[in-house]
């Protein structure tokens, strides 16, 4: 007796034999797309019914509730959650409340943008998880900085901010070589 299920290697991948399409009544087949596996109707061009294999639950993303904290919008408990770009703080009452706070935000004031003097340099996260600082007056101002800005003026050139890298301060202005 073989331990290998022959249905795994058949020419037509299919779902369970008892599952039928709710739109047209044809059998559902296991299909693969760029976002993973799903069940699709076997009469595809005529019927476009599909459903994911796994039902996504919002409660499985909750990592740890933060006791003693309340959502400023709805009053429910805040929780450390896992999302597409890593960990973040969000409301535990998610579908009804969409409050999100940054996990790395320590509540310090953001320095003014040296390029436009209208916006402030706020921390952002790229789609690859890298941290950078950009002007919040985007798209009017496109100033960006990879290192953490410090609200001090450069003593040599008078640039509006200094940047911190590996515990040392330097001037991010091109042409100025100030380091502290």
């Amino acid at each position: 007796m073989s331990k290998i299920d022959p249905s795994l290697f058949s020419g037509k991948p299919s779902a369970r034999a008892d599952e039928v399409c709710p739109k047209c009544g044809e059998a559902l087949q296991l299909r693969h797309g760029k976002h993973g596996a799903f069940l699709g109707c076997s009469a595809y061009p005529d019927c476009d019914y599909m459903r994911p294999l796994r039902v996504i639950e919002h409660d499985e993303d909750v990592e740890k509730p933060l006791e003693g904290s309340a959502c400023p919008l709805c009053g429910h408990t805040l929780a450390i959650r896992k999302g597409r770009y890593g960990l973040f703080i969000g409301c535990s009452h998610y579908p009804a409340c969409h409050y999100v706070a940054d996990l790395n935000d320590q509540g310090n004031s953001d320095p003014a943008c040296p390029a436009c003097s209208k916006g402030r340099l706020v921390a952002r996260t790229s789609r690859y998880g890298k941290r950078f600082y950009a002007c919040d007056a985007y798209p009017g101002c496109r100033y960006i900085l990879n290192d953490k800005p410090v609200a001090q003026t450069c003593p040599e050139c008078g640039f509006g901010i200094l940047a911190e890298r590996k515990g040392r301060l330097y001037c991010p202005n091109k042409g100025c070589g100030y380091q502290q």
Side-chain angles (χ1 to χ4, degrees), residues 41-124:
C41 185
S42 60
Y44 166 61
D46 300 325
C47 178
D48 61 350
Y49 176 78
M50 70 174 93
R51 71 174 169 86
L53 279 178
R54 195 181 112 203
V55 178
I56 299 171
E57 304 251 345
H58 296 294
D59 294 335
E60 72 183 8
D61 292 340
V62 175
E63 291 289 319
K64 179 182 172 189
L66 296 173
E67 300 300 327
S69 63
C71 175
L73 299 179
C74 69
H76 284 84
T77 320
L78 293 177
I80 298 176
R81 303 177 64 104
K82 182 172 52 175
R84 182 178 183 180
Y85 300 114
L87 296 175
F88 66 95
I89 297 173
C91 184
S92 60
H93 198 61
Y94 164 63
C97 179
H98 293 279
Y99 177 75
V100 174
D102 191 4
L103 186 64
N104 297 321
D105 191 18
Q106 284 91 24
N108 51 0
S109 64
D110 300 323
C113 176
C116 69
S117 302
K118 295 176 187 171
R120 307 209 59 78
L121 293 178
V122 294
R124 306 221 185 240

Side-chain angles (χ1 to χ4, degrees), residues 163-178:
E164 180 181 353
R165 181 187 298 157
K166 297 180 183 176
R168 298 181 60 158
L169 294 176
Y170 73 95
C171 180
N173 190 11
K174 294 189 190 271
C176 179
Y178 175 75

Side-chain angles (χ1 to χ4, degrees), residues 111-147:
C113 176
C116 69
S117 302
K118 295 176 187 171
R120 307 209 59 78
L121 293 178
V122 294
R124 306 221 185 240
T125 306
S126 72
R127 61 178 159 177
Y128 303 111
K130 185 160 171 43
R131 196 118 177 116
F132 66 94
Y133 300 86
C135 182
D136 61 358
Y138 178 85
C141 177
R142 294 180 179 260
Y143 187 77
I144 188 170
L145 186 64
N146 287 327
D147 299 320

